[in-house]
Amino acid sequence: GWDNVYAALKGWRKVLESKGILTFQMSGIPVAEARGFAINYRPFPIAAFNSNDAVTGRIFTLLHEVGHILLGESVLHERSPLESNNAIENWCNRFSATVLLPEEYVTQTARDTGKHANAVWSEQEIEAISRRFIVSPSAMVRRLRRLDLIANESYQELVKVFDQRRPYDSGGSGGNHYNNVLARLGTLLPSMAFQGYYSGEINTRDLSSIMGTSVAKLGVMEEKVMGVNYAFK
């Protein structure tokens, strides 16, 4: 039901943060150096993704990292999760795919498209169904294979095509400073930081450091995060 990939990314982050998982966005780092990481720290584990990745890639990585958290692991990923044959990485891939592409809905959507077991798919058909679920064609074609909804020959051909054209964002900076801060930190950590400030557990300097912004800008951040100007009018 999300209108676009950015709304989907924001929506998934909101879901995870409602469960106590901090979601962070890295920036200024090449995808080849770090695509994502998981820190299994309790009570607030961390799942992070790289802003230079395609948005659908960020979403898949985010859920992949949650898989590692569920397994009690802390990891750093340099390569795409889809490029590994490691058993744990494969499990986390399946976890991410199962969350993003539930079997019931994928199967029904394929049937609505006239596709059944071991069907032949075109590039355009894969791209269309991928857009409906807001995932990459690479992830979609693998999920269809897992569910026996694509013929092996068709799968082998399409997975090569889509893996070779896997897009990345330019990673350009810009935009609204306050929105950029929240894109980097999510909303759970900022809200906890302001609550900590209200209760006297941290001071203004601590809050400014956590938010990565100057004291002068905390008023605007407070309104964006908490919806009010309580402490910084």
Side-chain angles (χ1 to χ4, degrees):
W2 286 309
D3 293 334
N4 54 62
V5 290
Y6 292 99
L9 176 60
K10 185 177 181 179
W12 281 118
R13 294 182 75 178
K14 184 177 181 179
V15 169
L16 295 176
E17 292 191 334
S18 73
K19 304 300 180 182
I21 299 174
L22 295 168
T23 66
F24 292 158
Q25 175 174 277
M26 299 178 286
S27 61
I29 302 173
V31 175
E33 289 188 20
R35 186 176 297 269
F37 65 82
I39 299 179
N40 184 40
Y41 176 83
R42 305 293 169 154
F44 297 106
I46 298 169
F49 57 90
N50 195 327
S51 65
N52 285 337
D53 202 354
V55 183
T56 53
R58 301 179 213 177
I59 295 171
F60 192 92
T61 295
L62 185 60
L63 272 297
H64 179 97
E65 304 304 345
V66 172
H68 282 286
I69 290 170
L70 294 176
L71 295 176
E73 293 189 329
S74 297
V75 295
L76 170 68
H77 290 104
E78 298 176 356
R79 298 189 300 170
S80 166
L82 299 177
E83 296 175 2
S84 175
N85 290 320
N86 177 277
I88 292 178
E89 295 300 323
N90 286 340
W91 186 91
C92 292
N93 282 342
R94 292 197 299 274
F95 169 80
S96 184
T98 301
V99 173
L100 296 171
L101 298 163
E103 179 177 357
E104 175 185 356
Y105 297 107
V106 173
T107 300
Q108 186 58 54
T109 302
R111 288 173 179 169
D112 292 343
T113 312
K115 304 293 185 181
H116 298 277
N118 299 309
V120 175
W121 293 73
S122 68
E123 291 182 34
Q124 293 74 22
E125 288 171 330
I126 294 293
E127 289 169 344
I129 193 174
S130 299
R131 285 192 294 270
R132 291 189 62 178
F133 285 89
I134 314 184
V135 298
S136 70
S138 290
M140 176 57 76
V141 76
R142 284 174 168 84
R143 184 61 170 158
L144 291 174
R145 186 60 187 145
R146 180 82 180 174
L147 300 177
D148 294 322
L149 290 171
I150 185 172
N152 185 58
E153 296 79 5
S154 185
Y155 166 77
Q156 295 293 343
E157 176 184 346
L158 291 174
V159 77
K160 292 179 181 178
V161 170
F162 291 128
D163 280 2
Q164 289 174 355
R165 73 163 73 155
R166 193 175 295 148
Y168 300 102
D169 274 18
S170 64
S173 58
N176 182 278
H177 166 75
Y178 306 101
N179 292 337
N180 290 341
V181 169
L182 295 181
R184 186 175 71 251
L185 299 179
T187 57
L188 179 56
L189 178 61
S191 64
M192 288 194 299
F194 276 103
Q195 291 288 357
Y197 179 80
Y198 297 157
S199 64
E201 296 177 52
I202 63 174
N203 58 33
T204 304
R205 182 176 179 180
D206 295 329
L207 180 60
S208 175
S209 177
I210 292 171
M211 297 303 299
T213 192
S214 67
V215 173
K217 295 178 179 179
L218 287 177
V220 178
M221 290 305 306
E222 181 185 26
E223 186 171 2
K224 279 189 168 292
V225 173
M226 309 303 291
V228 296
N229 279 126
Y230 172 74
F232 299 91
K233 296 181 181 179

